[in-house]
Amino acid sequence: MVTKQFNGSPEDADLRRADSLAREIFSDVANKWAFLIIEALGERTLRFTELRDEIEGISHKMLTQNLRMLERNGLVERRVHPTVPPRVEYTLTESGQGLRATVDAMCGWTQQYLSHIEAARRRFDA
């Protein structure tokens, strides 16, 4: 995987630019599974199976892919305990907690405007 390297230029943080690092990061984390993982890890450290049980409908493969992506971006820390079988735990990093505040705000927005959105969909689909 080729990843743009941050060189400190304003272009790297400009979401409007197709080649910006910010857009690459945004693309990684702006998906339903990443949001749900971040929300689930918001208050506590969880093992893989606990996370899978917390997030209804996520497959083993999607959980694995998203945890790797979140770890790669420094949002989730993976800790392996040397036991047999190995015990693996996931927790949000400081930057993951920062993103969680945004996810929480989006959840609040959804709750606040859900009835408006449902009404708009009914009108549109009629």
Side-chain angles (χ1 to χ4, degrees):
M1 170 186 281
V2 176
T3 300
K4 180 169 177 46
Q5 297 298 310
F6 180 70
N7 63 22
S9 72
E11 293 83 18
D12 287 332
D14 187 350
L15 281 176
R16 295 169 295 179
R17 290 179 54 99
D19 65 342
S20 77
L21 180 59
R23 186 183 282 193
E24 181 182 320
I25 294 165
F26 186 77
S27 177
D28 279 351
V29 300
N31 74 69
K32 69 178 177 180
W33 298 125
F35 278 9
L36 292 171
I37 291 166
I38 290 165
E39 189 63 24
L41 289 173
E43 295 295 328
R44 62 190 191 272
T45 298
L46 293 171
R47 295 178 70 179
F48 185 91
T49 53
E50 293 172 323
L51 261 171
R52 196 175 59 210
D53 292 345
E54 286 277 323
I55 304 169
E56 188 175 323
I58 194 166
S59 68
H60 184 97
K61 178 182 176 182
M62 288 310 296
L63 181 55
T64 299
Q65 287 177 350
N66 277 273
L67 283 169
R68 286 181 183 161
M69 174 273 299
L70 291 168
E71 184 181 10
R72 178 175 182 263
N73 283 305
L75 302 169
V76 168
E77 179 183 329
R78 180 179 184 261
R79 192 171 306 131
V80 180
H81 298 274
T83 60
V84 178
R87 188 181 65 172
V88 181
E89 296 177 329
Y90 298 90
T91 190
L92 290 181
T93 62
E94 182 181 342
S95 56
Q97 287 289 351
L99 181 56
R100 180 177 175 240
T102 301
V103 172
D104 286 347
M106 291 180 70
C107 290
W109 173 86
T110 303
Q111 291 172 345
Q112 181 178 351
Y113 292 102
L114 187 60
S115 62
H116 298 271
I117 294 166
E118 288 176 327
R121 286 180 172 188
R122 282 192 300 274
R123 286 191 306 274
F124 186 87
D125 293 340

